[in-house]
Amino acid sequence: MIIKEVGYNKENYAHFGTKFLIGNGYMGVRGTPEEYTKEYMPAINIAGVYNLAAPDKWRESLNAPNPFFVKIAIGGTELALPDATNKVLLHEQSINMALGIHLRKTVFKTQQGQVNIESRRFASMTAHNILALEYIVTADFDAEIIITSGIDGNVWDVNGPHFVRHNIVDGEIMSVEGVCDNGLSVKTLEKVEIKGNLKSQSVIKEDKRILRALTFAVKKDEQCSIKKVAYVSTSKDLQIAKKTSDTNFLSLTYDELLVAQTEYWKSFWVENFVTIEGDKEAETALNYCIYSLQIIAPRHAKALSIPARGLSGQVYKGAVFWDTEMFMLDYFILNDIGTARTLLKYRIDGLKGARIKAKQEGFDGAFYAWESHENGLEACTKFNVTDVFTGRSVRTYFMDKQVHISAAIVYGLHKYTSMTGDFSILADGGLEIILECADFYMSMLSQRFSHRQDSDRVGKLELHDVVGPDEYHERVNNNAYTNRMAKFVLEYALEVLKKQTATSVSQVEKNRITAYKKKLKKCIEAICQPRTSKDGVIEQFDGYFELEDVSVDEVRSRLKDKREYWGGSNGVASTTKIIKQADVVTMLALFKNEYDIQTLRKNLEYYEKRTEHGSSLSACMYGLLHCYCDSVQDAYPMFVKSAAVDLVTPSKLWAGGIYIGGSHPASWGGAYQMMVYGFAGLTLKQTKKGITPVLNPRLPTHWKRLAFKCSIAGKRYNINITNKKHSIKSAKYKEK
Ligand code: BGC
């Protein structure tokens, strides 16, 4: 349960900052050494609080003033990374997932001897505004050690600076409040317990930060240390949080918080640990995914979702994508129904924004934001990448053409209701989402009625001018995935309407509903199916088969700059069959029961060769489909790729001049789905007794046992699978 790196390499600051993230859903704290300042991207990223710093910048989530800033000096010389790199004898960084704590150990060599730093820090899972740090210094000689620590308001921002003013307060409790020009503010308070032979202390008050310099006179091997408790809040807390934190910051001690943290994670793992006997690496990677999803789950909020890069920083503007509903949601539905509901409530609140967007784009109903901020506000711009040669912004069509986003939300609602048996969310706003997304697709269909002469298409309804999951091919017609998802929305709308008992409804209203159902049925029947080649390959979109058929390597070799964007009008992939990520394969993984196994295999084989996997959302869909096709040994590398996405050095940090680093929650969720639906083969059966789980396991041959718990329709189950037998037993558990 330990993720660890030994050795120091300055270049790793961006990757390690992400890999060693701690958090509690309210905030995420990047895993950078305490002495790092903003060039090395330390950040305390706050969930769901956004600001626009200037009209020519992107609106993005905010980072809080950093109370974990600490550095040391001995005999007047600073010992701080990365400058003192040549003096480092040992450097270790780790996350102890069993306890939810970040650990750091560094040994510096000086002329007088060795100096050790050890720190522990965590984001409290029991008090969402609280961060805690213990920082211990020892030397193997008598020394005067200065620990300088405080709150650094000089924060790292991608599209900042956001704070136009810093209110700084000195005293036993120090604070730095960053204030944006619209009054929005983020405030960090801290108090410190000091241990060791303190000789003197002073306060350093600067523009944007306040620090305490503590001078200790210590004997050889004697410790000096600080224990810090910090309280982070924003002026938006009242709107977002379920309740204001009733935490009495003044009375909390580091030691008590540590005990509570340890207890929280101990009981968490009793419920959520996944055992994979025979494959320790896969077990650790998957449990890291679970840890990582848990530390970004908005458990504190009424209605909030998870950004595509989690809480690892402001990449992708801290915005929410289809990643949540299609990739992450299943983990929460199966383990933490409260958070699953919070995620969907966020979309219910976002319906207003989705209506506005649909109208702006000339459609009816609800067109959800491709990159969603609060209240469903669209954060995606029309220019998302930069041409690396000219430095000019390139028009991309993610925002206005990636219409499959609305279907993802409806799909999420369907998963939630069918797996939990909790239909109350429909009455709480879910039904409106379903119907308005159906209206949206129907308005697109009717406007794009085909006049083409192709015999198989005459009279069919088409969806034109879209971008499917594969973003490299823009403005295409009849993307197979999008058409199927749109049809799904219409089918689900019809299903929920049929179940509605309209006893108190007037005759006029009844007639209206009947006419609406008729319209839905007509569209469902007429929505066009993708073309299929003679040997069963489904065409990704109209005209895809006519594109240049080259290998991924060939397309890569055409790049003149490795940061070049592959898609868009000039991209190297746009005129070829090379796709960014699973597209037809995602459709097949979701609707596998509609196809025979030969078709599934044929398409998997065809598209796998032609996929760059330029998105971390890709591998898990290929992996899932491999499992469904019983090619488990081919699924396994896809599982490892998804689960270990943030444990290995990232392959792609740039897309057309834009930094896209940070963590990959969708990939963690995808790995979890592969484990549950793919390897364990979990499906649900509707019986007289209600919804019950069924297993059809296909374990990788070297796995001896797979065991985990999950909740279905309010019941917790223990699942145990070996290569010889499997069982599902009721587990004792109280749904929170
Ligand atoms: C992918 C999208 C995804 C987004 C955020 C993009 O690179 O193409 O499908 O939603 O990243 O993860």
Side-chain angles (χ1 to χ4, degrees):
M1 290 299 276
I2 301 219
I3 302 292
K4 188 171 186 169
E5 289 284 349
V6 181
Y8 181 73
N9 178 353
K10 178 181 168 179
E11 304 312 317
N12 282 337
Y13 66 91
H15 173 42
F16 283 14
T18 296
K19 178 170 174 172
F20 294 109
L21 193 84
I22 53 172
N24 61 8
Y26 178 85
M27 57 195 151
V29 185
R30 288 179 61 79
T32 46
E34 288 79 7
E35 59 270 41
Y36 271 18
T37 45
K38 74 178 196 186
E39 321 74 86
Y40 298 103
M41 295 158 46
I44 297 175
N45 191 237
I46 310 275
V49 180
Y50 302 94
N51 184 59
L52 176 69
D56 59 334
K57 303 221 167 168
W58 285 345
R59 200 167 181 274
E60 64 185 6
S61 53
L62 287 177
N63 288 332
N66 174 17
F68 282 165
F69 179 79
V70 192
K71 63 179 180 175
I72 62 162
I74 303 233
T77 309
E78 263 189 17
L79 290 176
L81 297 172
D83 297 337
T85 306
N86 57 351
K87 296 182 184 143
V88 174
L89 290 178
L90 172 92
H91 180 73
E92 281 178 12
Q93 234 186 304
S94 54
I95 296 276
N96 182 334
M97 297 190 287
L99 309 176
I101 292 174
H102 175 281
L103 300 151
R104 176 252 176 112
K105 188 172 179 179
T106 308
V107 180
F108 289 106
K109 182 180 73 184
T110 69
Q111 272 172 354
Q112 301 100 306
Q114 290 184 12
V115 179
N116 285 19
I117 295 174
E118 272 182 58
S119 77
R120 286 180 200 96
R121 59 195 208 207
F122 56 91
S124 171
M125 293 301 265
T126 51
H128 65 254
N129 297 89
I130 298 290
L131 298 175
L133 163 82
E134 181 177 24
Y135 191 95
I136 305 168
V137 189
T138 48
D140 64 0
F141 53 94
D142 292 356
E144 187 182 86
I145 299 175
I146 304 176
I147 301 182
T148 305
S149 151
I151 309 169
D152 190 357
N154 220 337
V155 300
W156 165 57
D157 280 320
V158 174
N159 282 282
H162 291 280
F163 301 137
V164 292
R165 199 173 76 240
H166 289 79
N167 297 327
I168 299 184
V169 176
D170 182 10
E172 208 172 309
I173 296 193
M174 302 196 313
S175 68
V176 175
E177 180 182 31
V179 185
C180 306
D181 64 355
N182 57 5
L184 180 66
S185 70
V186 186
K187 185 171 181 177
T188 304
L189 298 102
E190 68 156 52
K191 56 175 191 172
V192 175
E193 288 171 55
I194 303 164
K195 259 199 182 156
N197 186 21
L198 184 69
K199 259 178 57 187
S200 64
Q201 60 175 307
S202 59
V203 170
I204 307 160
K205 204 168 161 185
E206 296 169 0
D207 235 17
K208 295 180 181 166
R209 61 180 191 174
I210 182 159
L211 308 171
R212 281 186 185 96
L214 306 168
T215 306
F216 297 88
V218 290
K219 296 266 179 255
K220 176 176 184 294
D221 297 331
E222 200 180 270
Q223 288 189 352
C224 55
S225 70
I226 55 170
K227 282 180 181 171
K228 195 183 266 205
V229 177
Y231 187 95
V232 179
S233 62
T234 82
S235 53
K236 282 230 162 151
D237 279 9
L238 273 177
Q239 280 169 34
I240 293 174
K242 276 188 187 131
K243 51 178 184 166
T244 43
S245 189
D246 46 15
T247 310
N248 187 354
F249 166 62
L250 290 177
S251 70
L252 286 177
T253 67
Y254 174 90
D255 292 341
E256 282 164 359
L257 285 162
L258 181 63
V259 170
Q261 179 82 348
T262 313
E263 278 169 7
Y264 174 91
W265 281 100
K266 263 194 207 150
S267 49
F268 173 82
W269 288 117
V270 170
E271 283 307 317
N272 296 282
F273 188 76
V274 177
T275 304
I276 303 178
E277 273 176 28
D279 194 341
K280 204 74 211 152
E281 275 176 25
E283 183 183 86
T284 304
L286 184 62
N287 285 299
Y288 175 74
C289 296
I290 292 169
Y291 158 83
S292 299
L293 285 167
Q294 192 62 17
I295 63 166
I296 57 173
R299 292 169 303 111
H300 64 288
K302 294 178 272 209
L304 196 63
S305 195
I306 301 177
R309 288 288 185 260
L311 298 177
S312 66
Q314 295 153 318
V315 166
Y316 288 156
K317 310 167 192 120
V320 178
F321 290 61
W322 68 315
D323 303 34
T324 314
E325 286 77 13
M326 298 308 290
F327 296 83
M328 303 174 216
L329 185 62
D330 299 67
Y331 164 75
F332 293 107
I333 291 176
L334 289 166
N335 295 288
D336 175 2
I337 184 172
T339 297
R341 236 187 128 88
T342 299
L343 299 174
L344 291 168
K345 281 282 284 164
Y346 169 81
R347 296 301 194 176
I348 293 171
D349 288 358
L351 188 56
K352 234 191 276 162
R355 282 184 193 132
I356 295 171
K357 180 173 167 187
K359 214 174 194 169
Q360 273 166 359
E361 297 297 322
F363 299 111
D364 296 342
F367 182 4
Y368 272 88
W370 178 244
E371 299 182 10
S372 180
H373 278 178
E374 70 276 49
N375 302 321
L377 192 83
E378 178 62 89
C380 188
T381 65
K382 290 189 172 164
F383 299 88
N384 272 276
V385 296
T386 306
D387 182 307
V388 288
F389 305 112
T390 61
R392 292 197 185 111
S393 300
V394 177
R395 173 68 158 109
T396 46
Y397 292 86
F398 311 150
M399 184 271 270
D400 34 350
K401 305 294 175 194
Q402 222 160 147
V403 298
H404 64 83
I405 177 67
S406 287
I409 288 140
V410 176
Y411 196 80
L413 278 166
H414 182 259
K415 283 195 285 197
Y416 176 88
T417 52
S418 58
M419 288 161 80
T420 62
D422 171 17
F423 290 88
S424 65
I425 196 144
L426 298 184
D428 288 348
L431 180 63
E432 266 171 290
I433 293 186
I434 300 165
L435 298 183
E436 297 207 25
C437 289
D439 285 345
F440 168 62
Y441 289 113
M442 286 197 293
S443 72
M444 280 194 80
L445 286 169
S446 53
Q447 285 178 1
R448 311 284 179 187
F449 195 85
S450 171
H451 298 290
R452 296 161 57 121
Q453 289 313 300
D454 321 21
S455 58
D456 61 332
R457 286 281 171 84
V458 172
K460 293 282 179 197
L461 295 172
E462 303 194 339
L463 272 179
H464 286 187
D465 199 11
V466 305
V467 179
D470 159 33
E471 292 182 338
Y472 289 165
H473 297 90
E474 295 182 329
R475 312 199 68 173
V476 300
N477 291 345
N478 296 313
N479 167 253
Y481 172 85
T482 308
N483 283 25
R484 183 62 192 91
M485 288 301 280
K487 186 171 172 214
F488 164 80
V489 173
L490 308 188
E491 287 165 343
Y492 189 33
L494 191 62
E495 185 188 317
V496 290
L497 280 181
K498 277 185 187 159
K499 282 191 189 145
Q500 294 289 309
T501 42
T503 41
S504 59
V505 165
S506 69
Q507 193 54 42
V508 177
E509 189 57 12
K510 275 186 193 158
N511 294 347
R512 211 181 64 80
I513 296 172
T514 310
Y516 186 71
K517 286 199 278 198
K518 253 192 201 156
K519 186 176 167 193
L520 282 169
K521 253 192 234 158
K522 225 175 101 189
C523 292
I524 292 167
E525 279 156 21
I527 191 163
C528 84
Q529 299 293 315
R531 291 198 177 83
T532 304
S533 72
K534 273 192 225 97
D535 50 354
V537 179
I538 296 166
E539 190 176 35
Q540 187 175 297
F541 51 82
D542 291 354
Y544 173 84
F545 285 151
E546 280 83 62
L547 297 174
E548 189 189 5
D549 203 10
V550 276
S551 69
V552 175
D553 285 343
E554 167 58 27
V555 169
R556 189 176 285 111
S557 75
R558 295 177 185 175
L559 292 172
K560 293 207 161 69
D561 181 319
K562 74 171 193 282
R563 295 172 310 153
E564 236 182 281
Y565 182 53
W566 289 39
S569 48
N570 288 325
V572 282
S574 319
T575 53
T576 75
K577 285 189 179 146
I578 298 307
I579 62 172
K580 178 178 179 185
Q581 66 201 89
D583 194 307
V584 169
V585 163
T586 303
M587 177 188 81
L588 295 176
L590 300 181
F591 299 98
K592 60 181 186 303
N593 296 335
E594 297 175 3
Y595 299 89
D596 57 46
I597 188 109
Q598 285 80 7
T599 307
L600 299 182
R601 286 196 179 128
K602 184 86 216 166
N603 282 277
L604 195 45
E605 193 198 327
Y606 181 89
Y607 282 107
E608 196 155 23
K609 284 191 214 117
R610 294 169 175 84
T611 306
E612 187 225 351
H613 295 299
S615 158
S616 64
L617 279 55
S618 191
C620 55
M621 286 298 146
Y622 277 89
L624 264 179
L625 197 57
H626 268 302
C627 288
Y628 299 150
C629 292
D630 290 325
S631 37
V632 176
Q633 291 317 113
D634 293 322
Y636 180 74
M638 297 292 170
F639 171 74
V640 172
K641 192 171 172 171
S642 304
V645 61
D646 291 314
L647 296 176
V648 296
T649 313
S651 55
K652 214 175 188 182
L653 288 179
W654 298 92
I658 306 283
Y659 176 69
I660 55 165
S663 61
H664 298 85
S667 190
W668 307 331
Y672 185 81
Q673 286 194 41
M674 274 195 75
M675 183 280 289
V676 179
Y677 305 135
F679 298 137
L682 179 83
T683 51
L684 304 184
K685 214 165 99 189
Q686 186 68 50
T687 64
K688 275 188 200 137
K689 285 194 206 147
I691 309 163
T692 53
V694 180
L695 298 176
N696 174 22
R698 333 155 173 97
L699 298 191
T701 47
H702 64 293
W703 286 17
K704 296 202 168 65
R705 189 167 78 95
L706 172 65
F708 60 97
K709 291 187 188 179
C710 66
S711 301
I712 290 153
K715 287 193 194 125
R716 192 83 179 151
Y717 293 95
N718 259 318
I719 296 194
N720 224 306
I721 302 166
T722 66
N723 277 325
K724 296 202 180 77
K725 55 181 188 184
H726 55 265
S727 65
I728 305 178
K729 291 192 180 139
S730 289
K732 276 197 195 127
Y733 176 71
K734 274 205 195 105
E735 198 64 77
K736 280 182 210 119

